[in-house]
Amino acid sequence: MSHSARGRLREISIGLLIGFCTLALVVWAAFHVFHTNQLVAAAIHLPLPVEVLPATVRTLHVTIGASGTVQPATTIVITARDSARVLQVPVDLGNVVKPDDLLAALDDRVFVASLETAKVTAVHADNQLSRMEALEKKGYGSPTDTEKARTDAVAAHQAVVQAEIDLVNTKVRSPAVAVVLSRTVNPGENTAIGEQLFQLGTIDDVMMLAEVSEDQIGFVSLGMRGEVGTNAFPGETFVGSVVKIGADVSTTTRTFGVYIRIGNKGLRLKPGVTGYARIVANRTGLAVISTAIINPVGDHATVFVVDQNSVAHIRQVRYGLIAEGLTQILDGLREGERVVTVGQQELHEGDRVRANLSGPWNNK
């Protein structure tokens, strides 16, 4: 074979190879488009390509954030139990007090005298009872007189106890570890029984009042873990638990008050300290990929479910917690049902589908 003939044969072979490759590429591209583009697949009556995943039981974790303020765990109102002149008030607003710390001292001179009188009266009553019992034994006294003497002795001892209590009450003391929230008494004033003198807030434990938005309050429950960071101690986390959820929503902020009880070792946290709370919610239940939900903020959230015959059916669902790309399904699905997660926007009830095909999902 001549040199020119061999060259022509080589050119023909190369041309055929290029043509074959081009044809194969065109066929592959057409196949790819038919099976990954829903509009093209619908136009030639092929099953629509979609991605599906089964609804499964999972544990969802979500962190609910809310700003808040530290408050006393409880509030104690201290009232006057004696009517007397105030001599001393050694505490002021904001002071931290411990059990038995002196809050106010009243003039006790009258109460000291009253106690001494009560004691003398009690001794006299005891002696009178002894005399009446001796006379009754000798037949010179009546049982009635003895019984009256016994009653008088009991009343005299009761008066001693009351006088002792009144004397103790001239020293107004703190019943707990607390901060002074209010003070309405000053030296030189006279107290009246039942008059409010102080308001204390206990701080051996404190509360973080976190303002949780109404769209998240449904995920908060008693006993949930709360992590609190404060402006006063940056970088430090205080751990507690939810002990109370407010029943009323704020009309201005649309938030509910959630109370997180925190141990206050060293009494570092004071009422009024601001911070940020993170409430950790864990829910186990049926869940789907969040992209499967159609109209998640409307009146009727829906998904497409693919049956055993590869037919798509629209299904209304009721959803709950949304976290980590998953949505909890409260009603409308059963475990194991295949849900369309990609490609559902162009689906209609009864469409035939081809599930779990990879592709760009470009409907243009």
Side-chain angles (χ1 to χ4, degrees):
M1 182 180 296
S2 66
H3 179 74
S4 59
R6 285 197 300 270
R8 190 177 299 111
L9 181 60
R10 188 183 307 109
E11 291 176 357
I12 292 173
S13 299
I14 294 174
L16 288 174
L17 180 60
I18 294 173
F20 177 78
C21 293
T22 302
L23 179 61
L25 182 61
V26 169
V27 171
W28 177 86
F31 179 85
H32 185 71
V33 169
F34 293 159
H35 288 81
T36 61
N37 188 293
Q38 289 183 333
L39 296 180
V40 173
I44 60 177
H45 305 292
L46 287 176
L48 302 182
V50 296
E51 286 275 356
V52 299
L53 283 174
T56 57
V57 174
R58 305 190 185 194
T59 298
L60 281 69
H61 310 276
V62 65
T63 299
I64 301 165
S67 58
T69 306
V70 173
Q71 295 191 350
T74 56
T75 301
I76 303 172
V77 175
I78 307 295
T79 58
R81 298 180 180 179
D82 289 334
S83 179
R85 182 171 177 269
V86 180
L87 299 179
Q88 182 185 10
V89 183
V91 297
D92 209 339
L93 296 179
N95 288 164
V96 175
V97 293
K98 295 181 173 59
D100 293 326
D101 281 357
L102 182 66
L103 302 178
L106 310 183
D107 189 343
D108 63 358
R109 290 175 295 176
V110 171
F111 299 96
V112 170
S114 296
L115 177 58
E116 292 301 322
T117 300
K119 288 179 177 179
V120 171
T121 301
V123 171
H124 174 74
D126 288 340
N127 292 336
Q128 183 66 13
L129 174 59
S130 297
R131 286 192 292 268
M132 295 306 300
E133 289 174 341
L135 290 173
E136 183 182 354
K137 286 180 180 180
K138 294 178 180 180
Y140 297 116
S142 68
T144 301
D145 292 337
T146 302
E147 187 61 30
K148 182 179 182 305
R150 184 174 292 109
T151 301
D152 290 343
V154 170
H157 284 282
Q158 182 178 356
V160 171
V161 173
Q162 185 60 57
E164 290 174 340
I165 293 174
D166 290 342
L167 180 59
V168 169
N169 287 337
T170 60
K171 300 294 187 293
V172 181
R173 299 184 181 278
S174 171
V177 177
V179 62
V180 179
L181 301 178
S182 71
R183 163 187 152 179
T184 56
V185 62
N186 295 294
E189 298 176 345
N190 287 324
T191 62
I193 295 177
E195 173 191 357
Q196 179 175 321
L197 305 179
F198 301 92
Q199 189 177 46
L200 307 180
T202 60
I203 58 171
D204 45 355
D205 284 346
V206 293
M207 297 284 194
M208 164 63 82
L209 174 55
E211 302 293 340
V212 176
S213 61
E214 61 179 332
D215 62 329
Q216 293 185 306
I217 193 64
F219 304 134
V220 181
S221 58
L222 297 180
M224 289 174 57
R225 175 185 173 93
E227 300 174 352
V228 175
T230 64
N231 297 329
F233 303 100
E236 187 171 354
T237 300
F238 300 88
V239 178
S241 60
V242 175
V243 296
K244 179 182 176 183
I245 301 172
D248 299 321
V249 64
S250 168
T251 56
T252 55
T253 62
R254 308 306 301 175
T255 58
F256 287 84
V258 174
Y259 294 82
I260 303 170
R261 183 184 291 274
I262 305 168
N264 192 17
K265 186 177 181 180
L267 307 180
R268 301 167 67 205
L269 293 174
K270 304 295 191 300
V273 170
T274 59
Y276 194 80
R278 292 174 293 277
I279 303 169
V280 182
N282 299 310
R283 296 282 179 86
T284 299
L286 193 65
V288 299
I289 301 297
S290 294
T291 56
I293 307 294
I294 304 172
N295 195 31
V297 295
D299 294 333
H300 303 292
T302 55
V303 298
F304 273 100
V305 178
V306 177
D307 64 19
Q308 294 180 346
N309 298 318
S310 295
V311 176
H313 301 282
I314 196 165
R315 185 84 61 79
Q316 185 172 329
V317 296
R318 185 166 61 91
Y319 66 92
L321 190 66
I322 301 173
E324 301 172 322
L326 299 173
T327 297
Q328 180 187 19
I329 301 298
L330 303 176
D331 190 32
L333 281 179
R334 296 186 302 273
E335 184 178 1
E337 287 191 297
R338 295 187 300 165
V339 177
V340 178
T341 58
V342 179
Q344 69 271 46
Q345 298 302 326
E346 298 297 330
L347 284 183
H348 300 86
E349 171 67 28
D351 281 348
R352 291 185 304 119
V353 299
R354 181 186 297 272
N356 292 335
L357 291 177
S358 60
W361 309 105
N362 182 5
N363 292 322
K364 297 181 180 179

